[in-house]
Amino acid sequence: MKSAVETLNPTRVRLSIEVPFEELKDSLDAAYKKINQQVTVKGFRKGKIPARVIDQRFGRGAVLEEAVNDALPKFYTDAVNEAEIDVLGQPEVDITELKDGETLNFTAEVDVRPAIEIPDYSGIEVEVDAVEVSDEDVDKAVTELRERFASTSPVERAAEDGDVVTIDLEAKVDGEVLEDGVASGVSYTIGSGELLDGIDDAVKGLEAGGEATFTSELKGGSAAGQEAEVTVKVTQVAARELPELDDEFAQLASEFDTLDELKADSRKRLENMKQYDQATQAQERVLEKLLELVEVPVPEKLLEDEINTRKHNLEHHQLGQMGLDLEKYLEIQGKTAEEFDTETKEAAVKGIKTQFVLDELVKREKLNVNQEELTEHLMRRAASSGMSPDQFAQAVVEGGQVPLLVGEVARGKALAVVVEAATVKDTNGEVIDLDDDEDETAETVEAAEAASEETPAEAEEKTEG
């Protein structure tokens, strides 16, 4: 076999492959054997039909077609390996010449991962928010904790903001009560915003036994997104009573003996959260700067697949779970279809570029992923998927997705290398040392994934390729 590579553009090549006919022998033998098992000829036992009889009865062309279809993948793969190219997706194959007993010539056009030059990134500088926790922040956190320990007691008065009301609901669309539009004994805290728009104004001022009707857009169910006439009846009004903010509350709500200790712990937790946010912000902004430094051609077919995959996931998974369609989603977001398409394309381009650049850094920096890092990453992914680690691991192995997880971890490590080399300052002008973060690698993996949004189309392309 002989092969040659022609570069059509930075992301696509054409392989021209010449195969001497003798190299098709194994495939021809397999073709005769397969046809032997599929046909019957009077006078011959099944599977024992001579090749010349098969040629006479069914045509040499049928045998050649079967043999070529069997042989093409192998010769294509050999040519790819010989040329040392990193292909993406399936090739477009064209048989240019097939002479029985002489030669098989074909071409294969396929997208390839572009060559990328990573410039010096040590000069990258970014600014992030300073870690500052005010007394007001601490008071808010303690107040939220206090509200979780609030008790309720029925009252004989009109409902007010903050009260917990027990209500019955009935929704009608075009005058007809919806099958899934009736609910009884629903507990609702006025002002929480957890139910329908307009319900707060409807129930405020009502005592037990009172009812009101209002119009609202349904958020879920069979008529999600439609305007409905909703009747709400209050069956009970209960006032929320907050516990006293003292040492006794601290002992009730935490492992601490005093309120001062509880507040100090709340301050520390808030500082840790802000440090985590600061590290994530640094990684995202360093990545943005890195992408600005690198010229990254994007394969058209890969981009098209990525855009389609993102739209499909949004429409059929995320929006479907919320009972919305794309049109309603765009209306809620205040976006036109053109704006949505533009944003989706920009996100897809960024995701693909991110993976290309970080993968190139993985090779350049010779980064490896050990078993412990892979296990930690698998545990995080399992937690976010709602599956147990064992279930997630089994699904990953059965789906052949282990290399994809390894790639995710490796890209996170590559981004960590760039972040470490960059200068990160907060809004106060202080240089931030992210090496102090024990979970830096884990956070960086997540930042890299968030930026690339895991480019599912590319993952599929790599699996197929």
Side-chain angles (χ1 to χ4, degrees), residues 82 97 112 126 178 202 235 238 267 340 346 381:
E82 183 179 294
E97 185 176 27
V112 294
V126 297
L178 299 171
T235 59
R267 183 180 295 277
F340 170 75
E346 289 174 350
R381 288 290 302 273

Side-chain angles (χ1 to χ4, degrees), residues 11 27 33 42 57 72 114-115 155 173 267 278 295 299 306 317 330 356 381 395 445 447:
T11 63
S27 293
K33 184 175 181 181
K42 189 175 180 180
R57 289 291 186 94
L72 282 180
V155 292
V173 173
R267 183 180 295 277
Q278 185 188 65
E295 186 68 29
E306 181 62 27
H317 297 293
L330 294 179
F356 282 173
R381 288 290 302 273
V445 170

Side-chain angles (χ1 to χ4, degrees), residues 417-436:
V417 170
V418 183
V419 172
E420 185 178 352
T423 300
V424 181
K425 294 182 179 180
D426 66 16
T427 48
N428 294 327
E430 296 291 329
V431 175
I432 306 300
D433 183 4
L434 296 176
D435 288 342
D436 292 339

Side-chain angles (χ1 to χ4, degrees), residues 23-135:
E23 294 187 29
L24 288 173
K25 183 180 183 306
D26 289 344
S27 293
L28 279 168
D29 291 344
Y32 279 116
K33 184 175 181 181
K34 181 175 180 181
I35 294 173
N36 240 307
Q37 298 300 321
Q38 294 175 338
V39 302
T40 57
V41 175
K42 189 175 180 180
F44 296 96
R45 286 183 297 164
K46 195 174 185 66
K48 299 296 184 179
I49 308 169
R52 59 179 175 76
V53 175
I54 291 177
D55 288 346
Q56 291 169 356
R57 289 291 186 94
F58 306 102
R60 174 72 167 175
V63 179
L64 289 175
E65 181 180 355
E66 181 68 37
V68 168
N69 288 338
D70 175 74
L72 282 180
K74 174 186 179 301
F75 291 121
Y76 166 72
T77 301
D78 289 346
V80 166
N81 293 336
E82 183 179 294
E84 297 182 342
I85 54 178
D86 192 350
V87 299
L88 299 169
Q90 297 301 309
E92 294 180 5
V93 176
D94 181 28
I95 297 175
T96 56
E97 185 176 27
L98 175 58
K99 290 185 178 180
D100 193 359
E102 295 183 25
T103 186
L104 164 66
N105 296 337
F106 68 95
T107 62
E109 288 191 17
V110 66
D111 284 336
V112 294
R113 187 179 290 260
I116 298 173
E117 291 294 329
I118 307 290
D120 179 19
Y121 48 78
S122 61
I124 290 178
E125 293 187 13
V126 297
E127 183 180 75
V128 295
D129 295 335
V131 173
E132 296 174 343
V133 177
S134 65
D135 291 342

Side-chain angles (χ1 to χ4, degrees), residues 11 88 112-114 116 287 291 296-308 310 344-360 411 448-459 461-462:
T11 63
L88 299 169
V112 294
R113 187 179 290 260
I116 298 173
L287 178 59
L291 295 180
V296 186
V298 176
E300 291 183 10
K301 180 65 166 59
L302 179 61
L303 177 59
E304 179 185 341
D305 290 345
E306 181 62 27
I307 291 172
N308 291 336
R310 287 170 184 258
T344 303
K345 181 178 180 179
E346 289 174 350
V349 168
K350 181 182 178 183
I352 293 170
K353 286 185 174 182
T354 296
Q355 287 206 6
F356 282 173
V357 170
L358 295 182
D359 285 344
E360 183 63 28
R411 283 190 286 275
E449 289 169 9
S452 64
E453 296 188 20
E454 298 180 314
T455 51
E458 190 202 11
E461 294 281 8
K462 289 197 293 185

Side-chain angles (χ1 to χ4, degrees), residues 14 20-22 38 44 47 84 88 90 115 135 145 163 170 173 176-177 232 275 296 322 364 368 397 407 425-426:
R14 179 188 292 123
F21 207 79
E22 57 266 23
Q38 294 175 338
F44 296 96
E84 297 182 342
L88 299 169
Q90 297 301 309
D135 291 342
L145 179 63
D163 285 344
E170 181 184 84
V173 173
E176 296 291 330
V177 178
V232 56
Q275 285 171 350
V296 186
M322 295 187 286
R364 194 175 97 167
N368 295 311
V397 172
K425 294 182 179 180
D426 66 16

Side-chain angles (χ1 to χ4, degrees), residues 139-158:
D139 290 342
K140 181 181 178 182
V142 173
T143 298
E144 290 174 353
L145 179 63
R146 186 184 179 200
E147 288 177 348
R148 295 213 304 268
F149 284 84
S151 59
T152 59
S153 57
V155 292
E156 295 183 3
R157 60 165 172 76

